Amino acid sequence: MHNHTHSDRGGGVASHGGSDLGRRVSARRAELGLSVEEVARRAGSAPGYITYMEEQQAVPGVGFLLRLAEALETTVPELAGGGMDLPTGLGEASPRAELLVLKPHECRALLSTHGVGRVAVSTHRGPAVIPVNYVVIGGAIAYRTAPRTAAAAAAGQKVAFEVDHFDEALSRGWSVNVVGMAHAVTGDAAARGFDEQAFTEPWAGGERHLWFEIFPDYITGRRIDVAPSGPRQT
């Protein structure tokens, strides 16, 4: 797992012994590509306290949490992990929602370099959709799994791969879909190379050293945005 200094713009989540709240703050900051100094400025705080929040067992007050959530463009319940056991999409839809088609370069930017997505494959029991950790390497999407799993059934298949993100508080979100052939990465040296480029161990844990690459035939995406209120400027 690659670690970055906490002041780096868009740096990864540091491995530390802090609280769950601190880890969520660090992860959200990295997701937005913000430095500690930028978050501190947005929240009206000191950079040292943001670092302390991320790395120690801090117990901030409600007022600060509200400012911090606003600075990180999220909500206090999201930072506190209150929605972990709930499916996304329970928030109210905006009456001014717009569905926008994303251009290919926008889709690739949202796929970024790593994260969690879902691969849809055909198995002997029927279709299956499996969440996987993934990275983008050389234009291909790569994920790792274990032999004899549903995700391993993708070998030699045309599959669908999907990544999305939804903001319950702002009623916004996006999704990107990739369709292409999945190929198993063969050879111990090649697999080790993919292991070295992975940003994290698999969230599901266990020994998962079987890598698959999906080479996109096409990429599509949609964004749900909220139209501005009031008359349009001409």
Side-chain angles (χ1 to χ4, degrees), residues 29-128:
R29 179 175 63 78
E31 182 180 357
L32 294 175
L34 296 174
S35 68
V36 167
E37 290 75 14
E38 287 169 320
V39 172
R41 185 167 60 251
R42 287 184 175 194
S45 181
Y49 187 67
I50 301 300
T51 300
Y52 178 78
M53 274 280 305
E54 293 186 1
E55 299 183 353
Q56 305 297 326
Q57 298 285 337
V59 185
V62 174
F64 175 76
L65 277 178
L66 288 170
R67 297 196 307 274
L68 182 61
E70 183 177 2
L72 293 171
E73 300 174 19
T74 185
T75 64
V76 172
E78 286 292 326
L79 287 181
M84 284 186 61
D85 293 327
L86 300 175
T88 58
L90 293 179
E92 290 289 334
S94 170
R96 305 191 309 278
E98 292 183 327
L99 184 61
L100 308 174
V101 177
L102 297 174
K103 296 178 181 178
H105 74 273
E106 294 175 309
C107 293
R108 292 187 180 92
L110 290 170
L111 281 170
S112 189
T113 57
H114 67 286
V116 175
R118 284 164 288 279
V119 60
V121 302
S122 295
T123 73
H124 69 281
R125 300 181 63 180

XYZ file of all heavy atoms in Angstrom, residues 29-128:
730
model
N -10.797 13.821 1.940
C -9.867 14.855 1.495
C -9.095 14.379 0.269
O -8.930 15.122 -0.712
C -8.906 15.214 2.637
C -7.880 16.257 2.266
C -7.038 16.672 3.454
N -6.253 15.580 3.996
C -5.124 15.132 3.445
N -4.671 15.665 2.329
N -4.453 14.145 4.021
N -8.638 13.114 0.313
C -7.912 12.564 -0.828
C -8.816 12.464 -2.051
O -8.383 12.720 -3.177
C -7.344 11.188 -0.473
N -10.072 12.097 -1.824
C -11.017 11.969 -2.934
C -11.217 13.300 -3.643
O -11.349 13.356 -4.873
C -12.356 11.447 -2.410
C -13.415 11.230 -3.479
C -14.719 10.722 -2.891
O -14.777 10.498 -1.673
O -15.680 10.571 -3.666
N -11.235 14.398 -2.873
C -11.423 15.725 -3.451
C -10.126 16.323 -3.971
O -10.147 17.371 -4.633
C -12.027 16.668 -2.408
C -13.451 16.353 -1.946
C -13.865 17.302 -0.824
C -14.437 16.429 -3.100
N -9.006 15.681 -3.675
C -7.721 16.216 -4.118
C -7.297 17.452 -3.362
O -6.637 18.336 -3.930
N -7.650 17.541 -2.075
C -7.342 18.725 -1.273
C -6.173 18.460 -0.344
O -6.002 17.357 0.178
C -8.565 19.121 -0.433
C -9.816 19.562 -1.196
C -10.975 19.764 -0.228
C -9.557 20.832 -1.992
N -5.385 19.486 -0.096
C -4.325 19.401 0.897
C -4.908 19.682 2.282
O -6.031 20.195 2.416
C -3.225 20.417 0.584
O -3.718 21.740 0.769
N -4.133 19.355 3.307
C -4.542 19.667 4.683
C -4.771 21.166 4.834
O -5.734 21.610 5.472
C -3.465 19.168 5.675
C -3.710 19.749 7.064
C -3.451 17.650 5.734
N -3.872 21.963 4.233
C -3.983 23.416 4.361
C -5.276 23.931 3.733
O -5.921 24.841 4.277
C -2.769 24.084 3.700
C -1.457 23.884 4.444
C -0.873 22.490 4.271
O -1.341 21.755 3.361
O 0.034 22.117 5.039
N -5.670 23.361 2.588
C -6.898 23.807 1.927
C -8.121 23.455 2.756
O -9.057 24.256 2.871
C -6.983 23.180 0.530
C -5.997 23.789 -0.455
C -5.908 22.992 -1.744
O -5.914 21.742 -1.688
O -5.827 23.625 -2.814
N -8.146 22.254 3.330
C -9.286 21.872 4.183
C -9.347 22.769 5.408
O -10.426 23.220 5.813
C -9.172 20.392 4.592
C -10.238 20.038 5.625
C -9.319 19.489 3.369
N -8.191 23.051 6.004
C -8.159 23.916 7.181
C -8.688 25.305 6.845
O -9.465 25.888 7.618
C -6.731 24.003 7.718
N -8.297 25.841 5.700
C -8.774 27.168 5.300
C -10.285 27.161 5.083
O -10.984 28.067 5.520
C -8.051 27.610 4.034
C -8.382 29.048 3.601
C -7.415 29.546 2.557
N -7.415 28.731 1.357
C -6.432 27.926 0.992
N -5.350 27.817 1.745
N -6.504 27.222 -0.116
N -10.780 26.125 4.441
C -12.225 26.024 4.210
C -13.007 25.915 5.517
O -14.106 26.461 5.649
C -12.539 24.791 3.358
C -12.150 24.889 1.885
C -12.600 23.634 1.154
N -12.375 23.699 -0.284
C -12.925 22.860 -1.157
N -13.728 21.890 -0.711
N -12.692 22.970 -2.444
N -12.444 25.187 6.489
C -13.156 24.934 7.744
C -12.874 25.995 8.799
O -13.438 25.925 9.902
C -12.777 23.556 8.290
N -12.019 26.973 8.489
C -11.677 27.985 9.478
C -10.905 27.403 10.642
O -11.105 27.782 11.798
N -9.989 26.497 10.358
C -9.236 25.814 11.394
C -7.747 25.916 11.088
O -7.333 26.559 10.113
C -9.664 24.338 11.467
O -8.961 23.648 12.473
N -6.937 25.293 11.924
C -5.495 25.255 11.717
C -5.105 23.939 11.064
O -5.679 22.895 11.387
C -4.764 25.393 13.049
N -4.140 23.947 10.128
C -3.710 22.688 9.499
C -3.301 21.623 10.506
O -3.573 20.435 10.310
C -2.518 23.122 8.635
C -2.779 24.563 8.331
C -3.439 25.117 9.568
N -2.679 22.044 11.595
C -2.258 21.078 12.602
C -3.424 20.322 13.214
O -3.296 19.134 13.547
N -4.566 21.008 13.364
C -5.704 20.322 13.964
C -6.331 19.337 12.973
O -6.813 18.276 13.368
C -6.762 21.306 14.454
C -7.863 20.606 15.232
C -7.577 20.017 16.456
C -9.145 20.502 14.725
C -8.559 19.348 17.172
C -10.132 19.837 15.439
C -9.838 19.265 16.656
O -10.812 18.592 17.360
N -6.322 19.674 11.666
C -6.830 18.738 10.666
C -5.967 17.480 10.670
O -6.474 16.352 10.626
C -6.845 19.373 9.266
C -7.724 20.634 9.256
C -7.335 18.376 8.234
C -9.172 20.394 9.620
N -4.650 17.666 10.739
C -3.750 16.519 10.826
C -4.031 15.707 12.084
O -4.068 14.468 12.047
C -2.281 16.990 10.820
O -2.027 17.694 9.609
C -1.328 15.815 10.940
N -4.230 16.405 13.206
C -4.547 15.710 14.458
C -5.841 14.923 14.329
O -5.947 13.773 14.786
C -4.657 16.743 15.585
C -5.036 16.144 16.926
C -4.086 15.484 17.695
C -6.340 16.247 17.408
C -4.428 14.931 18.930
C -6.695 15.697 18.636
C -5.725 15.043 19.382
O -6.070 14.492 20.586
N -6.838 15.518 13.668
C -8.115 14.839 13.431
C -7.908 13.535 12.674
O -8.519 12.512 12.984
C -9.041 15.740 12.607
C -9.853 16.727 13.400
S -11.291 15.936 14.127
C -12.052 15.217 12.676
N -7.051 13.562 11.660
C -6.859 12.399 10.812
C -6.044 11.307 11.492
O -6.234 10.120 11.204
C -6.175 12.808 9.504
C -7.043 13.688 8.614
C -6.402 13.953 7.261
O -5.285 13.419 7.022
O -6.992 14.688 6.444
N -5.138 11.688 12.385
C -4.162 10.726 12.886
C -4.351 10.318 14.336
O -3.756 9.337 14.776
C -2.751 11.287 12.694
C -2.404 11.537 11.233
C -0.978 12.028 11.042
O -0.312 12.297 12.071
O -0.549 12.147 9.887
N -5.177 11.046 15.083
C -5.337 10.751 16.501
C -6.808 10.499 16.842
O -7.688 10.608 15.998
C -4.781 11.913 17.345
C -3.344 12.281 17.039
C -2.369 11.159 17.338
O -2.574 10.387 18.278
N -1.308 11.054 16.546
N -7.056 10.178 18.097
C -8.419 9.910 18.568
C -9.086 11.223 18.991
O -9.391 11.444 20.159
C -8.377 8.930 19.753
C -7.802 7.568 19.414
C -8.783 6.715 18.622
O -9.990 6.916 18.666
N -8.259 5.741 17.892
N -9.313 12.102 18.035
C -9.901 13.412 18.330
C -11.397 13.291 18.562
O -12.066 12.431 17.984
C -9.628 14.373 17.179
N -11.928 14.180 19.416
C -13.381 14.232 19.687
C -13.825 15.681 19.452
O -13.971 16.468 20.394
C -13.705 13.784 21.118
C -15.220 13.740 21.315
C -13.093 12.420 21.411
N -14.036 16.078 18.214
C -14.377 17.475 17.917
C -15.817 17.793 18.287
O -16.670 16.898 18.401
C -14.174 17.562 16.398
C -14.439 16.179 15.914
C -13.935 15.265 17.000
N -16.097 19.090 18.467
C -17.454 19.529 18.772
C -18.328 19.538 17.538
O -17.853 19.457 16.396
N -19.634 19.676 17.767
C -20.594 19.634 16.670
C -20.376 20.786 15.700
O -20.449 20.616 14.478
C -22.039 19.656 17.224
C -23.048 19.772 16.081
C -22.317 18.412 18.042
N -20.082 21.979 16.231
C -19.873 23.140 15.369
C -18.727 22.923 14.411
O -18.835 23.236 13.215
N -17.615 22.377 14.931
C -16.473 22.125 14.054
C -16.804 21.041 13.030
O -16.419 21.141 11.867
C -15.256 21.706 14.865
C -14.079 21.323 14.011
C -13.309 22.289 13.382
C -13.765 19.988 13.808
C -12.248 21.942 12.576
C -12.702 19.631 13.000
C -11.943 20.606 12.382
N -17.528 20.001 13.453
C -17.889 18.937 12.514
C -18.745 19.469 11.377
O -18.593 19.052 10.225
C -18.638 17.823 13.252
C -17.772 16.797 13.986
C -18.652 15.790 14.700
C -16.835 16.075 13.012
N -19.638 20.393 11.684
C -20.471 20.993 10.632
C -19.616 21.760 9.630
O -19.808 21.656 8.413
C -21.523 21.905 11.257
C -22.671 21.212 11.992
C -23.492 22.234 12.775
C -23.564 20.456 11.012
N -18.651 22.535 10.140
C -17.769 23.281 9.244
C -16.876 22.340 8.435
O -16.629 22.563 7.244
C -16.907 24.267 10.036
C -17.694 25.348 10.768
C -16.795 26.491 11.194
N -15.638 26.065 11.953
C -15.625 25.878 13.267
N -16.739 26.075 13.972
N -14.511 25.503 13.886
N -16.404 21.264 9.084
C -15.540 20.316 8.404
C -16.302 19.574 7.302
O -15.788 19.374 6.199
C -14.962 19.318 9.410
C -13.996 18.274 8.858
C -12.769 18.948 8.251
C -13.582 17.297 9.956
N -17.544 19.184 7.598
C -18.352 18.501 6.589
C -18.594 19.405 5.383
O -18.520 18.965 4.236
C -19.680 18.043 7.200
N -18.861 20.675 5.652
C -19.058 21.622 4.554
C -17.763 21.782 3.752
O -17.791 21.834 2.517
C -19.518 22.973 5.093
C -19.821 23.992 3.991
C -20.348 25.301 4.549
O -20.442 25.435 5.788
O -20.662 26.193 3.744
N -16.631 21.851 4.435
C -15.344 21.996 3.758
C -15.051 20.795 2.868
O -14.439 20.925 1.806
C -14.228 22.163 4.791
N -15.510 19.614 3.283
C -15.265 18.389 2.531
C -16.428 18.027 1.615
O -16.459 16.919 1.065
C -14.983 17.232 3.501
C -13.683 17.356 4.298
C -13.603 16.291 5.376
C -12.470 17.260 3.363
N -17.378 18.955 1.495
C -18.508 18.792 0.575
C -19.270 17.505 0.856
O -19.620 16.736 -0.044
C -18.020 18.829 -0.876
C -17.322 20.135 -1.234
C -16.708 20.105 -2.622
O -17.110 19.253 -3.438
O -15.823 20.947 -2.892
N -19.532 17.261 2.131
C -20.275 16.079 2.529
C -21.143 16.435 3.730
O -21.434 17.614 3.951
C -19.306 14.918 2.838
O -20.060 13.730 3.121
C -18.389 15.222 4.015
N -21.586 15.450 4.481
C -22.440 15.688 5.640
C -21.803 15.083 6.881
O -20.943 14.185 6.795
C -23.830 15.060 5.432
O -23.693 13.627 5.341
C -24.489 15.600 4.155
N -22.251 15.559 8.045
C -21.748 15.004 9.307
C -22.078 13.518 9.423
O -21.209 12.718 9.801
C -22.292 15.804 10.511
C -21.938 15.100 11.825
C -21.730 17.221 10.506
N -23.320 13.073 9.111
C -23.592 11.632 9.178
C -22.675 10.796 8.292
O -22.264 9.699 8.665
C -25.060 11.519 8.731
C -25.655 12.827 9.093
C -24.563 13.828 8.850
N -22.332 11.326 7.103
C -21.428 10.583 6.225
C -20.052 10.458 6.866
O -19.433 9.390 6.831
C -21.325 11.274 4.867
C -22.537 11.103 3.981
C -22.720 9.681 3.491
O -21.698 8.990 3.255
O -23.869 9.239 3.372
N -19.544 11.556 7.445
C -18.235 11.502 8.106
C -18.273 10.565 9.309
O -17.285 9.889 9.615
C -17.806 12.899 8.545
C -17.362 13.872 7.456
C -16.959 15.196 8.075
C -16.211 13.300 6.636
N -19.409 10.535 9.998
C -19.539 9.701 11.191
C -19.825 8.245 10.856
O -19.831 7.391 11.745
C -20.649 10.250 12.087
N -20.082 7.952 9.581
C -20.353 6.570 9.192
C -21.771 6.127 9.466
O -22.059 4.926 9.497
N -22.695 7.091 9.614
C -24.067 6.729 9.955
C -24.804 6.002 8.857
O -25.790 5.315 9.117
N -24.354 6.130 7.599
C -25.060 5.473 6.503
C -24.382 4.221 5.989
O -24.718 3.731 4.909
N -23.459 3.650 6.759
C -22.679 2.521 6.268
C -23.536 1.307 5.938
O -23.232 0.544 5.026
C -21.610 2.135 7.293
C -20.425 3.074 7.323
S -19.134 2.497 8.416
C -18.701 0.929 7.659
N -24.599 1.067 6.700
C -25.421 -0.116 6.487
C -26.646 0.157 5.634
O -27.560 -0.664 5.562
C -25.867 -0.692 7.843
C -24.690 -1.243 8.631
O -23.744 -1.744 7.984
O -24.707 -1.153 9.868
N -26.680 1.320 4.978
C -27.814 1.684 4.133
C -27.381 1.740 2.678
O -26.270 2.140 2.371
C -28.375 3.053 4.550
C -28.896 3.173 5.975
C -29.297 4.620 6.258
C -30.075 2.244 6.208
N -28.259 1.332 1.763
C -27.922 1.471 0.347
C -27.899 2.932 -0.054
O -28.586 3.764 0.546
C -29.056 0.720 -0.357
C -30.207 0.813 0.586
C -29.612 0.781 1.967
N -27.103 3.266 -1.072
C -27.096 4.634 -1.561
C -28.389 4.920 -2.301
O -29.072 4.017 -2.780
C -25.908 4.862 -2.502
O -25.993 3.937 -3.585
C -24.590 4.679 -1.775
N -28.717 6.207 -2.392
C -29.899 6.599 -3.151
C -31.143 6.803 -2.314
O -32.238 6.938 -2.856
N -31.021 6.848 -0.974
C -32.194 7.071 -0.128
C -32.528 8.552 0.018
O -33.584 8.902 0.525
C -31.969 6.465 1.267
C -31.870 4.932 1.321
C -31.618 4.481 2.741
C -33.119 4.287 0.766
N -31.612 9.425 -0.419
C -31.871 10.852 -0.330
C -32.958 11.285 -1.305
O -33.293 10.589 -2.268
N -33.501 12.462 -1.048
C -34.556 13.002 -1.906
C -33.982 13.431 -3.261
O -32.927 14.050 -3.331
C -35.210 14.219 -1.231
C -36.060 13.878 -0.015
C -37.333 13.165 -0.388
O -37.808 13.346 -1.529
O -37.855 12.410 0.456
N -34.690 13.097 -4.329
C -34.280 13.547 -5.654
C -34.553 15.040 -5.788
O -35.519 15.567 -5.229
C -35.050 12.780 -6.737
N -33.692 15.738 -6.513
C -33.882 17.167 -6.718
C -34.964 17.410 -7.767
O -35.025 16.709 -8.784
C -32.576 17.807 -7.199
O -32.800 19.141 -7.625
N -35.838 18.405 -7.545
C -36.835 18.736 -8.574
C -36.206 19.367 -9.813
O -36.869 19.520 -10.835
C -37.759 19.727 -7.853
C -36.911 20.341 -6.782
C -35.982 19.238 -6.334
N -34.915 19.737 -9.743
C -34.225 20.362 -10.883
C -33.124 19.449 -11.425
O -32.132 19.911 -11.966
C -33.630 21.714 -10.476
C -34.628 22.688 -9.869
C -34.039 24.085 -9.731
N -32.753 24.076 -9.066
C -32.582 24.040 -7.746
N -33.637 23.974 -6.939
N -31.368 24.061 -7.212
N -33.335 18.140 -11.284
C -32.312 17.190 -11.711
C -32.124 17.211 -13.221
O -33.082 17.369 -13.986
C -32.685 15.787 -11.256
N -30.868 17.078 -13.643
C -30.520 16.974 -15.059
C -29.661 15.729 -15.252
O -28.731 15.491 -14.486
C -29.724 18.197 -15.528
C -30.503 19.494 -15.559
C -29.656 20.641 -16.109
O -28.437 20.628 -15.870
O -30.226 21.525 -16.770
N -29.992 14.943 -16.280
C -29.192 13.774 -16.611
C -28.304 14.125 -17.793
O -28.789 14.410 -18.891
C -30.090 12.584 -16.958
C -29.360 11.262 -17.239
C -28.575 10.815 -16.011
C -30.348 10.191 -17.672
N -26.991 14.125 -17.566
C -26.032 14.556 -18.576
C -25.208 13.373 -19.066
O -24.824 12.503 -18.271
C -25.100 15.620 -17.992
C -25.783 16.824 -17.319
C -24.745 17.723 -16.670
C -26.615 17.600 -18.331
N -24.941 13.328 -20.339
C -24.080 12.295 -20.925
C -22.632 12.748 -20.816
O -22.286 13.868 -21.204
C -24.469 12.033 -22.397
C -23.512 11.010 -23.009
C -25.906 11.540 -22.487
N -21.783 11.883 -20.284
C -20.372 12.210 -20.115
C -19.589 11.850 -21.369
O -19.875 10.853 -22.039
C -19.793 11.444 -18.922
C -20.396 11.774 -17.556
C -19.827 10.845 -16.502
C -20.141 13.221 -17.185
N -18.594 12.660 -21.677
C -17.705 12.383 -22.801
C -16.677 11.325 -22.383
O -16.409 11.146 -21.193
C -17.015 13.667 -23.243
C -17.984 14.718 -23.772
C -17.262 16.001 -24.157
C -18.252 17.041 -24.672
N -17.604 18.322 -25.019
N -16.105 10.611 -23.356
C -15.153 9.548 -23.006
C -14.014 10.008 -22.103
O -13.643 9.299 -21.158
C -14.636 9.086 -24.375
C -15.776 9.344 -25.302
C -16.400 10.623 -24.799
N -13.450 11.197 -22.354
C -12.337 11.643 -21.511
C -12.816 11.950 -20.087
O -12.063 11.783 -19.126
C -11.638 12.860 -22.127
C -12.408 14.142 -22.019
N -13.341 14.526 -22.960
C -12.391 15.131 -21.080
C -13.856 15.693 -22.615
N -13.297 16.088 -21.487
N -14.088 12.375 -19.937
C -14.629 12.595 -18.593
C -14.817 11.269 -17.868
O -14.570 11.162 -16.660
C -15.963 13.340 -18.691
C -15.850 14.765 -19.228
C -17.207 15.418 -19.426
O -18.078 14.798 -20.080
O -17.393 16.543 -18.927
N -15.252 10.252 -18.611
C -15.413 8.927 -18.016
C -14.081 8.391 -17.519
O -13.979 7.863 -16.406
C -16.014 7.957 -19.035
S -17.713 8.305 -19.517
N -13.049 8.551 -18.337
C -11.728 8.037 -17.945
C -11.192 8.781 -16.727
O -10.531 8.193 -15.870
C -10.763 8.147 -19.121
C -11.116 7.203 -20.276
C -10.040 7.208 -21.356
N -10.383 6.305 -22.441
C -11.048 6.670 -23.534
N -11.428 7.943 -23.683
N -11.331 5.793 -24.468
N -11.464 10.084 -16.668
C -11.009 10.852 -15.502
C -11.700 10.377 -14.232
O -11.087 10.312 -13.165
C -11.282 12.339 -15.729
N -12.989 10.029 -14.327
C -13.716 9.548 -13.153
C -13.265 8.149 -12.743
O -13.235 7.822 -11.559
C -15.226 9.570 -13.431
C -15.851 10.963 -13.517
C -17.281 10.888 -14.023
C -15.814 11.662 -12.159
N -12.946 7.316 -13.722
C -12.381 6.015 -13.384
C -11.090 6.186 -12.599
O -10.773 5.391 -11.710
C -12.100 5.217 -14.650
C -13.274 4.520 -15.317
C -12.865 3.982 -16.671
C -13.811 3.399 -14.445
N -10.338 7.239 -12.965
C -9.106 7.604 -12.273
C -8.136 6.434 -12.273
O -8.035 5.691 -13.239
C -9.423 8.088 -10.853
O -8.293 8.630 -10.231
N -7.443 6.246 -11.187
C -6.407 5.225 -11.135
C -6.746 4.044 -10.244
O -6.112 3.002 -10.348
C -5.086 5.831 -10.625
O -5.309 6.422 -9.335
C -4.565 6.881 -11.581
N -7.687 4.187 -9.340
C -8.021 3.068 -8.457
C -9.307 3.365 -7.707
O -9.796 4.490 -7.689
C -6.898 2.804 -7.450
C -6.706 3.902 -6.449
N -6.108 5.090 -6.792
C -7.046 4.015 -5.146
C -6.066 5.877 -5.716
N -6.634 5.249 -4.711
N -9.849 2.328 -7.080
C -11.075 2.487 -6.297
C -11.777 1.159 -6.140
O -11.165 0.093 -6.183
N -13.086 1.219 -5.943
C -13.920 0.030 -5.850
C -14.987 0.121 -6.932
O -15.672 1.135 -7.051
C -14.589 -0.100 -4.464
C -15.557 -1.287 -4.437
C -13.532 -0.263 -3.376
N -15.103 -0.910 -7.735
C -16.123 -0.975 -8.771
C -16.824 -2.309 -8.725
O -16.569 -3.130 -7.839
N -17.693 -2.548 -9.706
C -18.440 -3.804 -9.776
C -18.265 -4.405 -11.158
O -18.418 -3.709 -12.171
C -19.930 -3.549 -9.498
C -20.217 -3.331 -8.022
C -21.578 -2.710 -7.810
N -21.585 -1.313 -8.227
C -21.125 -0.314 -7.484
N -20.606 -0.564 -6.290
N -21.165 0.922 -7.921
N -17.962 -5.692 -11.181
C -17.830 -6.400 -12.445
C -19.014 -7.356 -12.575
O -19.370 -8.063 -11.629
C -16.480 -7.151 -12.545
C -16.305 -8.180 -11.439
C -16.324 -7.788 -13.908
N -19.669 -7.324 -13.740
C -20.819 -8.181 -14.026
C -20.367 -9.305 -14.946
O -19.851 -9.047 -16.041
C -21.940 -7.378 -14.675
N -20.545 -10.555 -14.483
C -20.078 -11.720 -15.231
C -21.195 -12.758 -15.307
O -22.162 -12.723 -14.535
C -18.833 -12.352 -14.567
C -17.701 -11.344 -14.455
C -19.171 -12.898 -13.186
N -21.047 -13.698 -16.232
C -21.947 -14.840 -16.330
C -21.290 -16.027 -15.636
O -20.128 -16.347 -15.906
C -22.229 -15.187 -17.790
O -22.925 -14.132 -18.426
N -22.022 -16.661 -14.735
C -21.521 -17.845 -14.035
C -22.454 -19.016 -14.318
O -23.513 -18.852 -14.934
C -21.450 -17.596 -12.515
O -22.791 -17.591 -11.975
C -20.775 -16.267 -12.202
N -22.084 -20.201 -13.837
C -22.931 -21.374 -14.055
C -24.259 -21.258 -13.319
O -25.205 -21.968 -13.628
C -22.191 -22.643 -13.620
C -21.985 -22.749 -12.133
N -20.988 -22.056 -11.473
C -22.674 -23.446 -11.189
C -21.048 -22.346 -10.177
N -22.052 -23.175 -9.975
N -24.347 -20.330 -12.365
C -25.601 -20.111 -11.638
C -26.388 -18.926 -12.186
O -27.453 -18.610 -11.669
C -25.306 -19.898 -10.150
C -24.602 -21.065 -9.490
C -24.360 -20.834 -8.021
N -25.611 -20.696 -7.273
C -25.666 -20.490 -5.953
N -24.535 -20.384 -5.263
N -26.812 -20.377 -5.346
N -25.844 -18.265 -13.211
C -26.517 -17.107 -13.791
C -25.673 -15.863 -13.652
O -24.512 -15.909 -13.221
N -26.223 -14.692 -14.031
C -25.460 -13.446 -13.927
C -25.106 -13.122 -12.478
O -25.875 -13.405 -11.557
C -26.422 -12.396 -14.508
C -27.424 -13.169 -15.290
C -27.562 -14.489 -14.607
N -23.936 -12.506 -12.315
C -23.489 -12.095 -10.977
C -22.789 -10.751 -11.091
O -22.104 -10.469 -12.082
C -22.545 -13.134 -10.380
